[in-house]
Structure formats: C-alpha cells, structure tokens
Amino acid sequence: MKKNFLRLVCSMFLIGILCTHLNAFWVLNDPECPFSMARTSFVICYSITESTSQLLQSASEAFLFMNEVEIAEHSGLNIGAALQRIDLAAARVEQALKIFYEIIAISSDASYNLGRIGKLRTFNYEHYARENHLNLEAMSQVGEYLNKGDVLGFYRYHADNLEVLLNILSQIRKDLLAGRLSEKKVLWSLLQQYNTIMTVGNYASLVFYQI
Amino acid sequence: MEKRMFKLTLFSAIIAVSIVYLHGFWAARDPYDPFARKNNSEIGSLITDSAVELLQSASEAFQFMNEIEVVEPNGLISGAALHQVDLAIAKVEDALKIFNEVIAFGSQVGSDEGRIGKLKAFNYERYTRENGLSQETMSLVAAYLGKGNVLGFYQCHTGNLKKLLHILNMIKKDLSDGKLSENKVLGSLLQQYNSTMMFGNYASLVFYRL
C-alpha cells in the first residue's frame, strides 16, 4: 500500500515537472521535445528551459548595468554597482553556456524525430516572417540551420552567440576592474548581442511552435 | 586670485559636464543635441531620463519572462509576475511621458541646420555594412534621420513605446484575471522590447558617429 502510494506521488511529481516546463518558450524551445528517446527529450527540453532562464536573468542584470551607465550622466559612474551587475550577468551567461554544452553533447548522441525534421525543411521561413512582421535577417539566420533540419547546428550557433556575449561581458568587467568604462563600441555591442541572441532564439521557438 | 579660482572652477565644471554627457547613449541620444536653441542640455537630459526608465522596464520585463519560463500551464502564476509587469508598465509610462515632453520641446526650438545636413549626408547603408549591423533596423532609422527628420524619429520612438505599453497592459489584464496571455502576445513582448531598443540604439550609433 505504502509502495503504491509512493509510486503515485513519484509519478505525479514527474508529470508535474514535465507540465511545468511545457510552457517554456522564449528561446529555442520545441514544445514537441522531438528526440527519439523520451528521456533524452525530457532532459534536453528541461535543460533548454534552464539555459533560457539563466539568459533572461542575465539580460535583466545587464539592463540594470546599462542603466548604471546611463545615469552616470547625472551622478558619475558607480563602478562598484556596475561591476556587481556585470558579474551577475556574466555568471548567468556562463551557466547558460555550460548547460548548452551539455545539451549539445546529449543531442549529438540522440536522433531527432524525422517527421519533425521534415516539417522544419518544408517550412516557409520567409513567408512566415513577412506575415508576422518579423525581422527577415534574423529569420534567415534561423532558416539557415532549421531549413536543413540541422537542429544540432542551430544549438551550436546559439552556443557560439553565448560565447560572444560572454566575451563582451568579460571585456567590460576587465575595464571596470581597471577603474574605467569600456569604449562605446564595446558597450553598444553588449545590447546588440543580447538582442541578437534573444531574437534569433525566439524566432526558432516561434517556428517550433508553428510546425 | 578669486577671479582665477572662479575661472578654474567654471572650467572644471564644464569639463565634468561634457564627460558626464558622453555616457548617456543607449537609446535615441544625440551627444550634440541637434536643436537650435540653448535648451539642448535639457532635451539631452530628458532623453537620458527616458532611456533610464526604458532600461529599468526591460529589466523588470525580463524577470517576468523568466518567471513564466518555468510556470505551469493554466497553473498558479506567482504574485511576483504581476508585480514585475506592473513595474515594467510604470517605467514605460514614465519613458513615454518624458518623450512626449521631448517632442513638445523639440517642436518649439527647431533644429540645428548643420547637424541636420550631416544626418542627411550620412551613408547609413555603408556604416551598417562596415559594422556588421542589421540593414533592416538601420533602414527604419534612416527613413527618418536620412531626411533630417529628428522629430519624426522621436515620434516613431514614442509609437514603439505605446505598442510596448499596449502589450504590457494586455498581459497585466490577463494576469489580473488569473491567466497567462497567449504565446503570441508573450512573444511580442520580447520582440517589442528588442525592436524599441535597437531602433533607439542604432540612432545613437549614427548620432555619435557624425
């Protein structure tokens, strides 16, 4: 009796976790979790959500750093506060990247659902982007991988983007530690890189949810 | 001696102000403030204030996105989500209010013709290509600045802020009804923050380049 009850609780808990992550959709999530093995699908989809969560929190910190830079106009730059924001943002991106390396390693050994790949190949990316007033350039970057059914390639591309972001954050951190603000070009590239990663990842999610 | 001291203080103050003004530059800011009369620094300061509100709003909104990234569908939405959306709305409202003041101000004072001439002569496409930027976003910016229409650009920016506010209010209404907005609405929130900030940032790039 006790054993049955324990099993019931365990399965309810697992279903709960699974449902909890079905709603995740900001960056790169495929609601079908389309790997051939159920367990692999679960792990990968869960990890993508975890990585996205880290990225979103990092962006939130980075915006507060940009805010510190912006208000420096009125009161001068508070290096300590700026450094704290950058440290948190960098730590989150490092975590997001680490999780994504794991995703790539796991999905390299797993096969993607062929029906799903077929749908990715036949999807009209440009038409969808035009119809929904999306940025055609960002969608073409997504289409470059997904149009060939190369989901793993797209994961690698996302990891590369995270690495670029981490490098920018590290550069800014290094300059702050030296008591100065990075040059404008570097600071601007921070906002642009967050935008690129988020937009491209989000467009991939839109495609995954559409097919 | 007193006169020299006064001159030194004044000089230091001017240098300090010019250095400080180099920082406010994330969105839609021209470091040279292309308006004709002496209200320039006031307009520049307002644009900075508005950018500050927008950045803080984005920070709250991204926390909200994180909150719902892991939420259970049709399940309990934490009070934190509604609080974050409320804060994001308040900040965008402030940003919008300030920008309406910028437009009113700018309409009265007129533009600096030299600066407008530079905006018209600037090669937007080449700059974009050379710096690996998005042609699509820059063409939206160039549609205004390429004609020297700084006020039109500001109006477009307020249009972007209004769209953002509309999306946030829809999400707030749904949250108040105890439900999460549909994915299309939630997705448009991220997209609208990105496009609003990029539109402003690309303009800043141009202004600083001139």
Side-chain angles (χ1 to χ4, degrees):
Chain A
M1 177 69 182
K2 252 186 173 175
K3 208 171 169 183
N4 277 343
F5 183 71
L6 189 65
R7 269 187 192 162
L8 181 68
V9 172
C10 276
S11 34
M12 300 261 301
F13 179 66
L14 283 175
I15 290 171
I17 290 178
L18 194 61
C19 288
T20 294
H21 289 90
L22 281 177
N23 209 50
F25 76 109
W26 293 109
V27 179
L28 276 165
N29 306 96
D30 186 339
E32 298 278 321
C33 295
F35 288 91
S36 49
M37 288 172 69
R39 192 176 175 281
T40 308
S41 275
F42 173 74
V43 170
I44 290 176
C45 291
Y46 179 86
S47 300
I48 288 178
T49 300
E50 281 293 300
S51 179
T52 301
S53 174
Q54 295 293 334
L55 181 60
L56 288 166
Q57 291 178 70
S58 168
S60 177
E61 288 298 336
F63 288 136
L64 291 177
F65 160 74
M66 293 175 205
N67 180 53
E68 285 293 333
V69 175
E70 194 74 45
I71 58 174
E73 174 169 322
H74 298 304
S75 47
L77 182 66
N78 181 339
I79 298 247
L83 191 57
Q84 193 186 14
R85 299 291 182 198
I86 285 293
D87 272 342
L88 285 169
R92 298 281 186 193
V93 174
E94 269 176 22
Q95 195 58 29
L97 188 55
K98 192 181 152 203
I99 296 169
F100 236 87
Y101 285 144
E102 288 167 13
I103 292 169
I104 290 168
I106 297 169
S107 46
S108 299
D109 297 331
S111 54
Y112 213 80
N113 180 311
L114 284 182
R116 200 85 180 137
I117 293 286
K119 283 184 181 174
L120 283 174
R121 282 185 174 150
T122 55
F123 187 75
N124 191 331
Y125 296 85
E126 194 183 326
H127 180 71
Y128 179 75
R130 279 189 200 285
E131 268 194 334
N132 292 279
H133 311 290
L134 304 176
N135 185 300
L136 287 168
E137 289 165 346
M139 186 55 96
S140 79
Q141 282 174 299
V142 173
E144 202 174 304
Y145 295 93
L146 299 190
N147 204 13
K148 295 171 192 155
D150 186 9
V151 178
L152 186 59
F154 189 72
Y155 288 171
R156 287 193 181 117
Y157 172 70
H158 182 70
D160 289 346
N161 273 334
L162 287 173
E163 273 178 27
V164 173
L165 181 59
L166 192 56
N167 284 338
I168 297 168
L169 286 163
S170 299
Q171 178 63 51
I172 293 171
R173 183 174 185 271
K174 193 175 154 227
D175 287 335
L176 286 172
L177 284 171
R180 62 172 183 263
L181 198 57
S182 303
E183 56 182 274
K184 290 192 282 290
K185 203 174 171 180
V186 177
L187 295 171
W188 278 324
S189 69
L190 180 66
L191 179 62
Q192 286 156 20
Q193 190 60 19
Y194 270 109
N195 172 67
T196 302
I197 294 182
M198 297 279 188
T199 305
V200 170
N202 181 241
Y203 281 13
S205 278
L206 292 178
V207 172
F208 285 135
Y209 272 80
Q210 183 68 25
I211 59 175
Chain B
M1 178 66 183
E2 256 190 15
K3 206 172 166 183
R4 283 185 72 182
M5 190 68 188
F6 176 70
K7 270 186 186 170
L8 183 68
T9 309
L10 189 65
F11 184 59
S12 308
I14 289 170
I15 289 185
V17 168
S18 13
I19 290 171
V20 160
Y21 265 85
L22 283 177
H23 291 307
F25 70 116
W26 293 109
R29 177 73 200 279
D30 185 344
Y32 294 95
D33 300 307
F35 294 98
R37 286 183 234 161
K38 61 181 176 184
N39 298 316
N40 285 350
S41 62
E42 210 163 330
I43 290 179
S45 181
L46 285 173
I47 291 176
T48 299
D49 288 346
S50 179
V52 163
E53 297 295 332
L54 180 59
L55 287 165
Q56 289 179 13
S57 168
S59 177
E60 290 297 336
F62 276 69
Q63 286 294 343
F64 160 72
M65 291 177 208
N66 177 53
E67 197 72 34
I68 64 165
E69 177 73 16
V70 290
V71 81
E72 185 178 335
N74 306 317
L76 286 176
I77 301 158
S78 75
L82 185 56
H83 181 62
Q84 283 151 353
V85 170
D86 268 340
L87 284 173
I89 287 174
K91 298 285 182 189
V92 174
E93 277 173 349
D94 281 347
L96 188 56
K97 192 179 151 202
I98 296 168
F99 233 87
N100 282 332
E101 286 174 39
V102 171
I103 290 172
F105 232 178
S107 306
Q108 287 169 12
V109 298
S111 303
D112 175 339
E113 286 306 317
R115 195 79 179 148
I116 294 298
K118 282 186 181 174
L119 281 174
K120 283 180 178 169
F122 187 74
N123 191 332
Y124 295 86
E125 200 184 322
R126 187 174 153 192
Y127 178 75
T128 307
R129 217 178 23 249
E130 280 178 356
N131 291 279
L133 303 172
S134 159
Q135 288 285 357
E136 225 170 309
T137 307
M138 188 58 97
S139 71
L140 295 174
V141 172
Y144 296 97
L145 300 189
K147 294 173 188 156
N149 186 6
V150 178
L151 268 182
F153 169 79
Y154 287 168
Q155 276 152 357
C156 186
H157 183 65
T158 59
N160 279 335
L161 290 173
K162 280 180 193 166
K163 274 185 209 163
L164 191 53
L165 196 55
H166 178 66
I167 296 166
L168 283 164
N169 277 319
M170 273 201 288
I171 293 172
K172 185 190 174 185
K173 186 175 172 290
D174 286 337
L175 285 175
S176 300
D177 292 344
K179 62 177 192 255
L180 202 55
S181 303
E182 55 184 273
N183 284 353
K184 200 175 173 181
V185 177
L186 294 170
S188 69
L189 179 67
L190 176 65
Q191 287 154 26
Q192 191 58 31
Y193 268 108
N194 279 340
S195 56
T196 303
M197 291 205 277
M198 280 301 101
F199 184 69
N201 181 240
Y202 275 33
S204 284
L205 295 179
V206 172
F207 287 139
Y208 274 80
R209 180 70 187 168
L210 293 178

